[in-house]
Amino acid sequence: MSRIGKLPITLPQGVEVLVNQDNLVTVKGPKGSLSSQVDTDITVAIEDGVLTVTRPTEQKRHKALHGLYRSIINNMIVGVSTGYKLSLELVGVGFKATTVGQNLELALGYSHNIYVGLPPEISAVAVTEKGKAPLITLEGIDKQLIGQVAAKIRSLRKVEPYKGKGIRFVGEVVRRKAGKTASK
């Protein structure tokens, strides 16, 4: 049995989950609404405020989908009840970030500024404190979308291993390499 798939999900107060006959799971909560299509072989059942995901057989395909869909549904429930927040820091001399509406303007050491358009489901806040690296905080209810946008922003200037410059997640540990002079 899948360790993740067999875990029941207790629904928080104010969260409503609807499953139609086509296995479309819709989750509504105080922060918004999300929906996801679940494979027709996987069964989603709600009893007494507890959601369970079951699979019909022990086939490899069913085992793979079991934990996947349980995690997707759990992420939707957490998203509509509490939301997700992800922070990125810009490490480098002259690196700056500002937000203008749904656009993010980044100065990352290139000859030009980079403008990133954000989806309407995500809100971004750029904070620059004196003596600290600029921070970009992404907030929203869709965990997958926030991760995808953060990865896109991060890919604009990957962290290099020699000086540690680039865009990184807050708290991320960067393995540093010794330069050419270290061998002498």
Side-chain angles (χ1 to χ4, degrees):
M1 193 79 182
S2 170
R3 277 190 247 165
I4 293 173
K6 69 181 178 182
L7 294 174
I9 303 170
T10 54
L11 299 177
Q13 195 72 23
V15 174
E16 182 183 334
V17 179
L18 301 169
V19 183
N20 67 5
Q21 61 268 22
D22 297 330
N23 253 11
L24 179 73
V25 177
T26 306
V27 181
K28 293 179 185 171
K31 295 211 174 235
S33 169
L34 290 172
S35 62
S36 179
Q37 183 67 43
V38 177
D39 192 89
T40 54
D41 292 342
I42 304 296
T43 307
V44 179
I46 304 157
E47 295 172 10
D48 301 328
V50 176
L51 186 137
T52 54
V53 180
T54 55
R55 63 177 183 239
T57 65
E58 294 294 314
Q59 290 179 6
K60 192 171 186 177
R61 179 179 168 281
H62 289 154
K63 284 182 177 181
L65 295 177
H66 189 200
L68 169 75
Y69 285 122
R70 191 262 179 207
S71 292
I72 289 173
I73 293 169
N74 187 48
N75 290 341
M76 289 193 308
I77 291 170
V78 171
V80 297
S81 60
T82 59
Y84 288 103
K85 188 184 278 193
L86 195 59
S87 296
L88 299 162
E89 62 181 343
L90 284 64
V91 178
V93 177
F95 285 14
K96 294 182 208 157
T98 55
T99 54
V100 180
Q102 284 299 102
N103 292 323
L104 188 64
E105 182 182 354
L106 301 169
L108 300 174
Y110 296 117
S111 61
H112 58 284
N113 287 348
I114 298 170
Y115 296 91
V116 178
L118 299 173
E121 299 90 14
I122 292 182
S123 63
V125 177
V127 178
T128 305
E129 292 181 24
K130 189 172 176 127
K132 293 185 180 179
L135 286 176
I136 302 169
T137 305
L138 303 172
E139 287 188 59
I141 61 173
D142 192 349
K143 185 177 186 178
Q144 188 269 334
L145 186 62
I146 286 181
Q148 188 175 353
V149 170
K152 176 66 178 165
I153 293 170
R154 194 168 181 261
S155 72
L156 298 172
R157 181 66 103 170
K158 292 185 177 143
V159 179
E160 56 95 21
Y162 296 102
K163 291 186 178 179
K165 291 174 23 174
I167 302 174
R168 64 175 81 163
F169 294 109
V170 172
E172 179 182 354
V173 177
V174 177
R175 260 181 78 193
R176 303 285 296 271
K177 288 183 178 177
K180 289 193 284 185
T181 57
S183 63
K184 293 181 184 178

